[in-house]
Amino acid sequence: GRLIHALLQTLPEIAADRREATGRQFLAREPDISPDEIEEMLSVTLTTLNDPNFTSVLAPGGRSEAAIVGTLPNGQMVNGRVDRLIITPDEILIIDYKADRPAPTDAAAVEVAYRVPLAAYRAVWADIYPDRPVRCALIYTYGPRLIEIPGGELSESLTRVDSGV
């Protein structure tokens, strides 16, 4: 997972025709992975990057490993990092990468442990940009699959944590 995350951080900024070679060079520096593992990780990453469903999410210009620091309405501090952050004049999009196998089929099947941080990050960004919708999604690299978590479900996840439920 760590190496695929690293590839997804850097390869979107590389020209499409150079991504495979760049990714291969990066992975070849890792002493503890086999040639088969290199091929699998590169395949998963390039499949994700080349999937038309992810074009806008993984396009150059997004921020990788973006820090998020703020305060929730209940006063709790949030200090985290998101895998990808896209800020446009129309919206904020927060993306987290997951390498779970198998990937869930829809938002309802996404673990609460993944929803809660996204909900906190969403709340912080909504406070910073009250004029823009803040959307959150997970990219499961095995599939690949993009699952957006509806705002209502994120708010519910955050409320459950606040109430101790």
Side-chain angles (χ1 to χ4, degrees):
R2 173 185 62 83
L3 293 173
I4 292 172
H5 268 72
L7 290 170
L8 288 171
Q9 276 180 252
T10 56
L11 292 182
E13 303 302 323
I14 304 294
D17 63 340
R18 294 185 25 236
R19 288 178 179 166
E20 183 175 353
T22 302
R24 193 173 302 285
Q25 283 179 318
F26 172 79
L27 293 172
R29 287 182 259 181
E30 291 292 322
D32 298 329
I33 59 175
S34 70
D36 287 344
E37 290 171 318
I38 288 173
E39 291 307 315
E40 180 184 1
M41 285 186 255
L42 197 54
S43 173
V44 164
T45 303
L46 293 174
T47 298
T48 302
L49 287 170
N50 294 327
D51 189 306
N53 293 316
F54 307 144
T55 302
S56 63
V57 174
L58 296 172
R63 296 184 209 170
S64 293
E65 291 297 314
I68 295 181
V69 177
T71 306
L72 296 177
N74 68 2
Q76 183 178 357
M77 287 294 300
V78 174
N79 184 355
R81 214 166 263 294
V82 295
D83 292 326
R84 190 128 181 108
L85 177 66
I86 297 107
I87 300 175
T88 71
D90 300 320
E91 70 179 357
I92 311 297
L93 182 57
I94 298 168
I95 301 292
D96 198 14
Y97 304 138
K98 298 296 176 199
D100 299 16
R101 288 189 211 187
T105 56
D106 58 27
V110 170
E111 295 179 36
V112 172
Y114 293 163
R115 292 168 183 249
V116 171
L118 287 176
Y121 302 153
R122 178 177 172 261
V124 169
W125 281 104
D127 189 48
I128 295 168
Y129 290 99
D131 61 327
R132 298 180 209 179
V134 179
R135 297 172 41 222
C136 297
L138 298 163
I139 290 181
Y140 288 87
T141 56
Y142 288 94
R145 183 170 291 139
L146 175 72
I147 299 177
E148 184 170 346
I149 311 297
E153 290 181 27
L154 289 170
S155 295
E156 181 182 320
S157 297
L158 200 55
T159 301
R160 279 185 178 178
V161 170
D162 283 346
S163 68
V165 173

